[in-house]
Amino acid sequence: MHTARRLAKLKRRPTFVDKSDDWLTLCLEEALGFFLDYTNRTIDPGEQVDTLICELAVWRINSEGFENMMKAKDGELERELGTEMPPMIKSRLLNWRVMRGLYATDTI
């Protein structure tokens, strides 16, 4: 239900049009798992976080393969590579964070 809607949203990005639904679904499920862990939640808030979940999936996909690299050299151009979460995503995640043990169930 949420995954199908998020998959459709993700596939609207030109980069992901030709990617398999199974692979993108897996990426979305991992992004949701990360969201739930990071925000100390157990329940998917649904449509309210669709864009954030898709952004998390894109960030994780784009950082694949760079986990252990700090710099890359492309011809004469040397650039810093980082897999650190972009500040915009991090601030949005923090808005959804609940204190551990404070609530018996998630609040939306």
Side-chain angles (χ1 to χ4, degrees):
M1 131 176 100
H2 299 308
T3 304
R5 189 177 57 243
R6 291 172 184 156
L7 179 62
K9 188 177 194 85
L10 195 58
K11 287 196 73 134
R12 284 195 296 256
R13 294 172 180 256
T15 312
F16 301 117
V17 169
D18 61 340
K19 303 295 183 196
S20 82
D21 287 1
D22 289 341
W23 184 72
L24 290 174
T25 298
L26 176 63
C27 293
L28 287 167
E29 288 170 358
E30 289 175 356
L32 175 61
F34 181 85
F35 170 84
L36 294 173
D37 287 345
Y38 193 89
T39 60
N40 300 317
R41 292 176 177 271
T42 57
I43 299 170
D44 181 346
E47 195 170 353
Q48 300 173 57
V49 294
D50 282 358
T51 300
L52 181 54
I53 299 298
C54 288
E55 288 172 2
L56 279 169
V58 169
W59 166 62
R60 297 293 293 158
I61 290 166
N62 289 340
S63 63
E64 261 183 24
F66 294 112
E67 291 87 359
N68 297 318
M69 293 177 76
M70 292 308 293
K71 292 184 179 182
K73 205 164 191 176
D74 184 15
E76 292 300 312
L77 177 66
E78 190 172 309
R79 59 191 170 122
E80 296 281 332
L81 298 172
T83 57
E84 190 171 319
M85 185 185 314
M88 182 62 99
I89 293 176
K90 190 171 189 173
S91 69
R92 292 183 59 210
L93 278 171
L94 289 173
N95 289 332
W96 283 95
R97 204 164 207 188
V98 295
M99 292 177 65
R100 242 178 244 242
L102 185 62
Y103 301 106
T105 60
D106 292 349
T107 58
I108 296 178

